[in-house]
Amino acid sequence: QVQLVESGGDLVQPGGSLRLSCVASGMIFKFYDIDWYRQAPGKQRELVAGITNGQSSSAQSTNYADSVQGRFIISRDDAKDTAYLQMNSLKSEDTAVYTCDARWRGFHYRGKGTQVTVSS
């Protein structure tokens, strides 16, 4: 059974940092491209960051939404079947449920998410 389990969400003050984790099981993790999405109440789901699969580290690439460019860093550790989202300089508008998606060919999996709240 394939599972993606996110963790690391918390209540943090503006300007603070958090690191989210997405642990995969039941899949060959290194084959999958990984995306982090977020959804705030009343808003559409938004792609935050993505990282290509780990089959070729030299060809690996990342992409970011304009709203998080320069503040968030996506990474992966295929030996641990885990993807990360390092979030720095957090703003109130970053408040949302963050989920990770794994995609490979016709396969697509999504975790249940972790809540990030940025508030003073």
Side-chain angles (χ1 to χ4, degrees):
Q1 180 183 358
V2 174
Q3 274 193 314
L4 295 172
V5 180
E6 302 92 339
S7 64
D10 205 347
L11 170 64
V12 63
Q13 292 187 343
S17 297
L18 284 175
R19 187 176 81 155
L20 306 184
S21 299
C22 171
V23 179
S25 59
M27 64 196 298
I28 303 175
F29 183 73
K30 67 178 182 179
F31 287 176
Y32 287 76
D33 297 336
I34 302 296
D35 297 314
W36 282 96
Y37 284 83
R38 67 185 181 187
Q39 187 165 24
K43 294 188 177 181
Q44 284 192 326
R45 195 164 181 254
E46 174 189 20
L47 175 62
V48 175
I51 186 167
T52 54
N53 66 60
Q55 294 190 74
S56 173
S57 59
S58 62
Q60 201 169 80
S61 65
T62 58
N63 62 278
Y64 298 91
D66 289 344
S67 58
V68 307
Q69 182 75 47
R71 299 189 296 124
F72 290 11
I73 300 171
I74 187 171
S75 62
R76 63 189 298 158
D77 185 342
D78 291 335
K80 295 182 179 180
D81 293 342
T82 302
Y84 303 97
L85 185 67
Q86 176 68 42
M87 306 187 297
N88 302 317
S89 302
L90 283 162
K91 305 175 181 179
S92 57
E93 51 263 44
D94 295 318
T95 295
V97 174
Y98 285 71
T99 58
C100 66
D101 282 34
R103 295 176 290 106
W104 176 56
R105 297 185 179 178
F107 299 96
H108 185 186
Y109 304 102
R110 178 178 300 169
K112 294 184 178 179
T114 185
Q115 175 70 48
V116 172
T117 303
V118 184
S119 175
S120 54

